[in-house]
Amino acid sequence: MASKRSLELLRQFTTCDIGDALVRLKYPYGGFLDGIRMFSPGPDTRVMGHAVTVQMVEMSDKSAPRVEKHFVDHNEDGGIMYIQQPKGLYSACWGGLMSTRARYLGAQAAVVDGRIRDVREHIEFGFPVFAAGTSVLGSNTFSRASRINVPLQFKGDLWINPGDILIGDADGVVVTPTSLIDQVIAICQPRAEVDEKFFVELRRGASMDHLIKTVRKDK
């Protein structure tokens, strides 16, 4: 469990900073959720929260477990719901009504490994939604929620576990387990300081090659 202070320190870094740190820590794919991008509300948005996971299945799957209540009601204050839709479905599994409910419950965002709809509504609400794509079709006849707060495989060795920290901004979404947060911060802090020196020197006309050799080195 990450401390409140550690989470506040982590919040100051971008997804790029965190992803680079996770690569150095040899975390699978640098924690990058490839293909997931921001749809709302805008490029200045940055979100962070603990993962609340939802596994969707196709409606035709009668053997998969069923949830007792609508999955959106499982959103948690300060959390980010991660919804995994079966691959290849052309329907959406998240829409404007769900963003409205999630926001009321205190959710920070929704991350959908699949399709969403009602993009304009999410933008108007100011609720952050990240997804792989969009659809005009709802989920009613195509998919349903099956399990809540279970580990979900994103790709290869990269999993999203309940309680993992999701961070999203205009560059995409990254996930980190709480056990690595302090190590991520230890890498990000000096790297951020070096990058700031880069910006200053580049604006003065310094060459990138010179700065890499003299300022960045192994940072």
Side-chain angles (χ1 to χ4, degrees), residues 52-187:
V52 178
T53 66
V54 179
Q55 183 182 46
M56 308 288 287
V57 297
E58 293 192 42
M59 193 65 76
S60 60
D61 187 345
K62 305 300 183 183
S63 64
R66 294 181 176 274
V67 296
E68 294 182 358
K69 62 182 180 181
H70 196 287
F71 74 87
V72 77
D73 291 328
H74 288 275
N75 272 282
E76 300 174 5
D77 186 26
I80 293 179
M81 184 162 274
Y82 170 79
I83 306 104
Q84 189 173 80
Q85 187 181 37
K87 302 297 183 185
L89 284 187
Y90 51 89
S91 58
C93 62
W94 188 272
L97 296 176
M98 296 175 189
S99 281
T100 303
R101 177 61 173 157
R103 185 176 188 179
Y104 177 83
L105 293 172
Q108 299 299 297
V111 175
V112 182
D113 184 8
R115 299 176 184 269
I116 63 165
R117 69 176 186 172
D118 304 325
V119 174
R120 181 178 294 277
E121 293 178 9
H122 306 306
I123 294 172
E124 290 174 350
F125 301 157
F127 186 75
V129 178
F130 301 77
T134 62
S135 174
V136 300
L137 305 176
S139 63
N140 288 346
T141 59
F142 298 97
S143 64
R144 63 177 177 84
S146 177
R147 297 190 296 169
I148 308 293
N149 274 335
V150 294
L152 295 174
Q153 183 182 26
F154 181 78
K155 177 182 179 182
D157 293 331
L158 181 58
W159 291 69
I160 291 86
N161 298 288
D164 283 352
I165 303 301
L166 290 162
I167 305 98
D169 58 26
D171 289 306
V173 179
V174 68
V175 61
T176 179
T178 56
S179 61
L180 292 181
I181 287 178
D182 288 338
Q183 294 179 66
V184 168
I185 293 168
I187 293 171

Side-chain angles (χ1 to χ4, degrees), residues 14-27 29-32 174 183-184 187-188 191 195 216 219:
T14 68
T15 55
C16 296
D17 296 330
I18 296 166
D20 285 347
L22 288 168
V23 167
R24 292 187 63 176
L25 293 170
K26 302 188 185 310
Y27 194 68
Y29 303 99
F32 174 48
V174 68
Q183 294 179 66
V184 168
I187 293 171
C188 286
R191 186 67 180 266
D195 283 351
R216 174 160 289 177
K219 291 292 191 294

